[in-house]
Amino acid sequence: MAVMRRKSATLMVMLGTMLLGSGCGSFAGHKNTDLGLAHIQSYEYEEAAASFDAAEAAGENARLLYRARGILDQNLGQYDLAVEDFLKSLSATSGIPGDMDFDTNYYLADAYIHLGKYDEATKVYDAILDLRKRDKEAYYMRGMARLNSEDHDGAINDFNKAMSLSPRNYDLRIMIYKALSANGFEEEGKGILEACLNNTDPNMTNYEKGQISYYLGNNADAQSYLELARNERDTEKAPVVLLLGQTGEKQGDYNYAVSVYKTFLAEDPNHPDIYNQLGLCQVSTGDYEGAVNSFEAGLALGSSEYDRALMMNEITAYEYAGNFAQAKTLMEKYRKAYPNDLDAEREEIFLSTR
């Protein structure tokens, strides 16, 4: 493992939302490790473990193998083991750290955060920032770790640095607002969003104005901006439609929201996130059959990013409809794919009594 300037900054951790990492690709001659990663994508965890055992027996690259095992551990909720495996992967690195090592360090920090070890996660981000001083993601994630460890001032400093590195990244500002709000600092978070509108960026799009207005609770303004954005020729429509429908939901106008989602999906059906939101809206109106159809349409698109939410929401729709037998069957499938979901474990116990 490469040694840095500070004793605590041995490069240790990519973001938990990334499953297989970016820029890593498939490594020729490491077929068992690659096969195991493919099994993880298919939620076949026993098969993945067997592939990694075969990789070890075949003497495949330790750096790749331990990293892959750490990813499996995280998917199983075994974060202590994940930490051990990611550290072993990083120890097998020789020379200057590459993109994969930074990616593994992000995974490591994510495992520490799940364990509530925020100081350890912070040290990992320190190490990343020693080498990548303009890494806005690391500043943001370190801010999150500090916020969770009740270091408010340190978190704000990191958030401000991340924002300074991304002066027009409004998604980042919304994430910071959500984090501050969830930790009891909603007014401070709102101040960040209000500054976005008050500074009057001449390049700010109607969609961005709509986003900020939505999170500030100005639903009428949000709806107006988003309707304008929906009719703009060069604007990506899916995120606009998703938020536009939610402005209707927040105001209790579910018919409007359903109409927005269905109109869009009739023209462009390849959006599992919008099928998911449509289904949730239909659950709210008591249209459980329609909700199930929406969730199943989303699942049929095969998007691993949204499968988890779609599966759980379909189970909920069947529960509301009183079809506990089908809900129980689907829950067994869900639990196999996501064994570390403790809320689902409790729900499974509830269904077993129906």
Side-chain angles (χ1 to χ4, degrees), residues 334-350:
Y334 179 91
R335 290 284 294 141
K336 186 175 186 297
Y338 306 103
N340 63 326
D341 189 330
L342 297 180
D343 290 334
E345 183 179 2
R346 288 187 286 270
E347 188 69 13
E348 186 178 34
I349 294 171
F350 164 77

Side-chain angles (χ1 to χ4, degrees), residues 258-276:
V258 167
S259 175
V260 168
Y261 299 139
K262 283 188 172 181
T263 299
F264 176 78
L265 289 168
E267 299 177 358
D268 187 357
N270 297 312
H271 295 275
D273 51 341
I274 296 181
Y275 274 116
N276 185 57

Side-chain angles (χ1 to χ4, degrees), residues 65-84:
L65 175 57
Y66 281 121
R67 177 180 179 276
R69 276 184 165 157
I71 293 171
L72 175 60
D73 293 333
Q74 278 196 320
N75 277 268
L76 293 173
Q78 299 171 345
Y79 298 108
D80 282 318
L81 294 177
V83 166
E84 292 178 12

Side-chain angles (χ1 to χ4, degrees), residues 12-14 16 19 40 52 62-91 103-115 117 124 340:
M12 301 171 183
V13 275
M14 188 80 222
L19 176 63
I40 292 174
F52 297 147
R63 174 177 171 237
L64 305 181
L65 175 57
Y66 281 121
R67 177 180 179 276
R69 276 184 165 157
I71 293 171
L72 175 60
D73 293 333
Q74 278 196 320
N75 277 268
L76 293 173
Q78 299 171 345
Y79 298 108
D80 282 318
L81 294 177
V83 166
E84 292 178 12
D85 283 325
F86 291 138
L87 288 173
K88 287 177 182 177
S89 173
L90 292 162
S91 294
D103 184 72
T104 302
N105 272 276
Y106 273 107
Y107 272 119
L108 175 59
D110 184 67
Y112 278 136
I113 287 172
H114 275 93
L115 290 168
K117 296 182 176 181
V124 173
N340 63 326

Side-chain angles (χ1 to χ4, degrees), residues 255-300:
N255 290 331
Y256 170 80
V258 167
S259 175
V260 168
Y261 299 139
K262 283 188 172 181
T263 299
F264 176 78
L265 289 168
E267 299 177 358
D268 187 357
N270 297 312
H271 295 275
D273 51 341
I274 296 181
Y275 274 116
N276 185 57
Q277 199 62 38
L278 171 60
L280 290 172
C281 197
Q282 290 166 318
V283 167
S284 296
T285 63
D287 181 11
Y288 305 126
E289 182 179 354
V292 166
N293 290 336
S294 295
F295 296 137
E296 289 184 347
L299 286 165

Side-chain angles (χ1 to χ4, degrees), residues 88-100:
K88 287 177 182 177
S89 173
L90 292 162
S91 294
T93 299
S94 60
I96 298 174
D99 287 343
M100 176 179 284

